[in-house]
Amino acid sequence: MRLVTYRGSSDSRIGVVLAGDRVLDVRAGALEDIVGDAASLASVREAAEASSPASGLPRIDELDLLPPVRPGKLLCIGYNYRGHVPDGEDPTANDPAYPDVFVKTANVLIGPNDPVQLPQVEADVDYEGEIALVIGRRAKNVPVSTALDHVAGYTLFDDVTARDWQRHGSQFTLGKSFDTFGPLGPWLVTADEIPDPQSLVVEVERAGVVTARQSTATMIFPMAFLVHHLSQVMTLEPGDVISTGTPQKLPDAAATHRSLADGDVVAVRVAGIGELTTRFTTITEDA
Amino acid sequence: MRLVTYRGSSDSRIGVVLAGDRVLDVRAGALEDIVGDAASLASVREAAEASSPASGLPRIDELDLLPPVRPGKLLCIGYNYRGHVPDGEDPTANDPAYPDVFVKTANVLIGPNDPVQLPQVEADVDYEGEIALVIGRRAKNVPVSTALDHVAGYTLFDDVTARDWQRHGSQFTLGKSFDTFGPLGPWLVTADEIPDPQSLVVEVERAGVVTARQSTATMIFPMAFLVHHLSQVMTLEPGDVISTGTPQKLPDAAATHRSLADGDVVAVRVAGIGELTTRFTTITEDA
C-alpha cells in the first residue's frame, strides 16, 4: 500500500495511491498519527480495497503533497555503503565498528514536489539519495531479529548537504540542516510490500545521468541493525525517520561533480518504492 | 519574570513564579506557544502584577514541573569556553573559526525535577552544565547586532553525555541523545532580567563540590553570535533552544572525574537565572 499525506482544502489528508496513480482520500490527519496504530491502518486498507474503479479520483500529480510523515526525529546515517574493491580483497575490511549518526533538524523537511532552496551563504551544495525507513511501532532496546517489526514502511529522502558548512567543524549538523534540505517522499510504501529491504537497488540521477547505483546488499549496517542500534539509545516513536545512508557516487560522477545550481534536478529511484525528484532553486533570502 | 510550565490536573499550565517561590497559574498551555507572542506575554505580566499577596498560592516545590519549553530544535554548542592560559599568552589563540554545533533529539528532554536514567549500555556518563537560551521571535538571517531581540529568555540545561557512545564515531549524536539526557529548567527567566548575558557566572557542582565556575565573558562565541550564525542556516522558531556550551571543569575536578552513578546529584547554578539540580539513577531497562 502506498500512502500519501497532502494538503486538503481545510486540513491535511491521508490518501491511498491506487492503480493509475489515483488517490483515494481516506481520512483527515497525518501519517505519523496512524502508522503506529494497526487498527487505523487496517481500516485504511479496507477502504482502499472497497473502493470502486479509481478513474473518478484525483491523480496524484494534481495534489499538493506534504512530507508523508513529520518525524519527531530525523536520524541520518553517514558512510553506510561499501565501496568497490578489487577481486580477492575483503570488501568489509574498511567497515567502521559503529554507524555514524547525525540529525537533521525539523526545518529541513519539505514535501516531495517542493524545491530545495540553495542558500546564498554556501557554494558547494550536494545531494545524497537515500532510502528512509519510517518507524511504526515504538522501539526501545529491540534486538536485530525483531527490529523490522517496528518499521511501518519505506520512503525516499534526499539528504541535501552544504559541504562548506559541513566542513566548518567536527559535527555535520549545520551543513545538513539548512531550511528545505530534506525532501521526503513521494509516499510511504508499507513494509509488507518490501519483504527484504537489503535487496533493493538505489539509483540516483542528476540531469538525466545516473550518478549512483548500488544495492542495499552492500550496506555496512543493514536497516534492522540500525533500528536495533538506535533503539539502545533512544525510544523510537511512530513517524520517526531513519535515512539509511547514500550509495557512493560512480567514479565518473564523483570526478565531474560540481555544486547544485539553480534549475538542477536530482532523482532518487528504488524499484518497489518509487521515485523522488527534486528541483533546486536559488532564492532571495529573507532579511 | 520567571515562567514555568507544569502538569495541571487535566492539562499543562503556565505559571509565573512570584516572591517566596509561589506560583501563579496564568493559563493552560505551554510556554513555547506564547514566548513568540508579545501580547500573551504582556497579559501574563499583567496578571502577575495584579496578583494579591502570594501566600495562598502553591509553592513551586509542590508542583510537577515540566520542561519550561518543548523545543522544536534543541541545538547544542561544543567547545565554547576558553581555557585558562598563562599571563602574557593570547587566550583567543586556540579559538576555532566556527562553533561546533550538534543536536540532541526530543527524547532527551525531561523536567527540572526528573531524574536522568543511567543506561546499562554506557559506562562513562558525564554532565555538562550550561545556560540555554530560548528563542522568542522567529529568526532567519539576523545580524549579530539584533540577534538577542529574538531571545525570549534564559534557562539552564544539563547536556548529559555518554562518553563511550560519543566516541563511537565522528558524530556526537548518539552519545548525546539517550532518553532523559536533557534536564531543562527550572524556569524561563525573561530576557529583560538579563541585560548582559555575557557577564554571568556559570557554576557546576557535583556532590556539593564545585567542579566548574566560569564567566560567560570567556565564551568563544557569544550568544548573540550563536543566534546570528544558526539563523544563517535554519529558521529559528519560538521555543527553540540553544544550549550555549559548558564551562571547562576545574583542574581538580577534571583529574578526579569518574562516571556518574546511581544517586549522584549535579547542580548548575547561575545568579540571575537560578539552579537546576539533577539526580542520576540506574534503571532496569525496558525490553
Side-chain angles (χ1 to χ4, degrees), chain A residues 62-215:
Chain A
E62 298 170 324
L63 300 177
D64 184 3
L65 295 184
L66 298 168
V69 289
R70 291 202 177 269
K73 313 183 210 40
L74 174 44
L75 301 155
C76 297
I77 312 299
Y79 176 69
N80 198 28
Y81 282 81
R82 295 188 181 100
H84 179 74
V85 296
D87 284 352
E89 288 188 18
D90 176 7
T92 70
N94 292 320
D95 287 0
Y98 301 94
D100 224 3
V101 179
F102 59 92
V103 173
K104 287 175 87 110
T105 46
N107 58 298
V108 306
L109 200 69
I110 57 174
N113 297 327
D114 298 332
V116 169
Q117 297 176 328
L118 294 163
Q120 294 180 338
V121 294
E122 168 66 46
D124 188 5
V125 178
D126 200 358
Y127 55 93
E128 299 191 357
E130 313 197 350
I131 296 174
L133 63 82
V134 177
I135 296 295
R137 208 149 52 78
R138 182 175 286 195
K140 183 73 197 280
N141 287 331
V142 297
V144 173
S145 58
T146 59
L148 292 183
D149 297 348
H150 297 263
V151 174
Y154 302 88
T155 185
L156 301 173
F157 186 63
D158 193 340
D159 172 20
V160 182
T161 304
R163 295 290 180 212
D164 288 341
W165 278 72
Q166 185 185 8
R167 286 183 289 254
H168 280 175
S170 73
Q171 301 301 295
F172 301 165
T173 309
L174 292 189
K176 297 291 190 175
S177 291
F178 278 83
D179 287 349
T180 76
F181 271 28
L184 186 73
W187 43 58
L188 177 80
V189 174
T190 51
D192 55 292
E193 298 201 4
I194 312 282
D196 179 11
Q198 301 308 138
S199 66
L200 302 168
V201 175
V202 181
E203 196 172 81
V204 186
E205 199 177 274
R206 174 179 180 171
V209 177
V210 172
T211 58
R213 181 188 286 123
Q214 198 161 355
S215 168

Side-chain angles (χ1 to χ4, degrees), chain A residues 224-239:
Chain A
F225 179 85
L226 294 174
V227 172
H228 152 72
H229 186 69
L230 290 165
S231 82
Q232 291 191 283
V233 171
M234 54 184 77
T235 304
L236 298 170
E237 303 283 354

Side-chain angles (χ1 to χ4, degrees), chain A residues 72-75 97-107 119 121 140-142 165 168-179 229-230 232-235 283 285-287, chain B residues 72-75 97-107 119 121 140-142 165 168-179 229-230 232-235 283 285-287:
Chain A
K73 313 183 210 40
L74 174 44
L75 301 155
Y98 301 94
D100 224 3
V101 179
F102 59 92
V103 173
K104 287 175 87 110
T105 46
N107 58 298
V121 294
K140 183 73 197 280
N141 287 331
V142 297
W165 278 72
H168 280 175
S170 73
Q171 301 301 295
F172 301 165
T173 309
L174 292 189
K176 297 291 190 175
S177 291
F178 278 83
D179 287 349
H229 186 69
L230 290 165
Q232 291 191 283
V233 171
M234 54 184 77
T235 304
I283 51 159
E285 299 200 10
D286 305 326
Chain B
K73 314 185 211 33
L74 175 44
L75 301 156
Y98 300 96
D100 225 3
V101 179
F102 59 91
V103 173
K104 287 175 86 111
T105 46
N107 57 297
V121 295
K140 183 73 198 280
N141 287 331
V142 297
W165 279 73
H168 280 176
S170 73
Q171 301 301 295
F172 301 165
T173 310
L174 293 190
K176 297 290 190 176
S177 292
F178 279 83
D179 287 350
H229 187 69
L230 291 165
Q232 292 192 284
V233 171
M234 55 184 77
T235 304
I283 51 160
E285 300 199 12
D286 306 325

